[in-house]
Amino acid sequence: IILKADREMIVANRNDLAYVKVNLVDDNGLLVTNNDQMVYFETSGKAGLIAVGNGNPKEMKSFQADSCKTWQGRCLAIVRASSQPGRYRLEATADGLKSAVINIEIQ
């Protein structure tokens, strides 16, 4: 699992968001598009996970969840800052895969 945020720092107010791309990759770092898996998110810190999604137009699962099945090897997590500065940690796990962690600064 590879996590990549659109930025490393967001402002400490509820109107600021960070978009975290989640990609399933092989040992060579290439996107694995033929083996979609459920990705589970655990969070801590001065922000919150407000939505997850995968772009699949047939997906009927709620966006407000702490897990998301990838579609073509990808999904997205959206993080909202709290009104207090600090650090936010997002961990993504999936069965049989090495977990990934990303930290976002809230200023």
Side-chain angles (χ1 to χ4, degrees):
I1 302 173
I2 300 291
L3 300 179
K4 174 84 173 156
D6 65 334
R7 51 206 175 123
E8 297 175 1
M9 192 270 304
I10 57 179
V11 178
N13 73 52
R14 295 189 45 80
N15 294 323
D16 209 4
L17 304 173
Y19 297 84
V20 181
K21 295 178 188 177
V22 181
N23 291 331
L24 302 182
V25 298
D26 64 14
D27 291 335
N28 297 317
L30 300 173
L31 185 66
V32 177
T33 60
N34 62 349
N35 187 17
D36 291 323
Q37 293 196 28
M38 187 65 74
V39 177
Y40 302 92
F41 298 101
E42 291 185 32
T43 64
S44 64
K46 300 289 183 180
L49 181 65
I50 63 163
V52 295
N54 62 14
N56 184 346
K58 296 180 181 179
E59 182 72 50
M60 298 303 292
K61 187 174 180 190
S62 171
F63 296 121
Q64 296 177 332
D66 62 357
S67 64
C68 183
K69 187 171 185 178
T70 58
W71 185 54
Q72 298 181 351
R74 299 181 177 118
C75 64
L76 182 74
I78 302 174
V79 174
R80 174 184 283 160
S82 70
S83 58
Q84 298 178 8
R87 176 172 281 177
Y88 178 74
R89 180 180 188 273
L90 178 68
E91 180 176 10
T93 60
D95 291 341
L97 299 178
K98 185 178 177 183
S99 65
V101 174
I102 192 166
N103 292 302
I104 298 171
E105 290 294 323
I106 314 296
Q107 295 191 357

